[in-house]
Structures are given as structure tokens and as C-alpha cells.
Amino acid sequence: QVHLVESGGGLVQAGGSLRLSCTASGRTISPYAMGWFRQTPGNERQFVAAISWSVARTYNNDYVKGRFTISRDNAKNTVYLQMNSLKPEDTAVYSCAATNIFPTTAPMAYTYWGQGTQVTVSS
């Protein structure tokens, strides 16, 4: 079992930056590809970005390309999402997840999920 906990969310003005962290406990995340998703009330989860277990490859949603960067530190059992040039439409609950499949944008392909952290971008 992998227990994931996100942190780093908050309120930021448009154009600002936030860095989200996702720290795992229970088991190492090294064998897993990791992903970030976001969700707003009444909507389905939207894929944001994913990173392979070896850090060699990343895959981003077109909406965030050039603004968001996913990275990981397997020694710290942590995955990061650096978010720059934030827009009000980026407001959502951001969750990290672990999967044995890469690349994949499908939430059902991810086995373990964190509870999420709220990101609010004001205009």
C-alpha cells in the first residue's frame, strides 16, 4: 500500500507560482509512474502531468505545457508539480497518484491516490 499526501496548495494571484509536493509513505514510489490530476466541483478529474519511474520522460496536458513542470525525487519518495504563470482557470483540487502504466492520462489506470490540495488563483 502506498499512502500519498499532497501539500503546497493555497491562494495565489494570477501570474504567480506554487510548488505542490506529494510525499509517499508505506512503500517506495520508485517502481511507479506518478501523475497529477485536478478537479473542480461537478467535473471529472482532469489529467495534468505524469512522470515515468526513471524520471526519463514526462507528459503534460496541453493546457499546462510551458507553465507546469512535474519532477520527482525517489530518494525522498516525493513528486513535485511546479506551477508558474497561474491562471484563474487553474483553480482546482490537485491530487497526485501512482500507476504501473506510462504514459497514461486515464484516472482509472492509477492505483493509489492522495486526498488532494486546494489551489485557488485569483484574478
Side-chain angles (χ1 to χ4, degrees), residues 48-116:
V48 175
I51 187 166
S52 65
W53 70 272
S54 67
V55 195
R57 294 184 294 164
T58 62
Y59 184 74
N60 294 337
N61 184 312
D62 285 343
Y63 295 119
V64 305
K65 272 182 180 175
R67 298 190 298 124
F68 292 10
T69 303
I70 187 171
S71 62
R72 66 191 292 168
D73 185 338
N74 287 336
K76 295 183 178 180
N77 237 15
T78 300
V79 180
Y80 305 97
L81 185 67
Q82 178 67 45
M83 305 187 295
N84 299 328
S85 302
L86 282 161
K87 305 175 181 180
E89 50 264 44
D90 293 320
T91 294
V93 174
Y94 285 72
S95 300
C96 66
T99 178
N100 290 313
I101 304 169
F102 183 86
T104 178
T105 63
M108 66 174 60
Y110 289 77
T111 305
Y112 302 107
W113 288 85
Q115 295 283 6

Side-chain angles (χ1 to χ4, degrees), residues 1-5 22-32 34 74-78 98 112-113:
Q1 187 79 10
V2 177
H3 182 60
L4 302 173
V5 177
C22 170
T23 301
S25 61
R27 292 177 62 180
T28 176
I29 61 169
S30 297
Y32 297 98
M34 300 296 295
N74 287 336
K76 295 183 178 180
N77 237 15
T78 300
Y112 302 107
W113 288 85

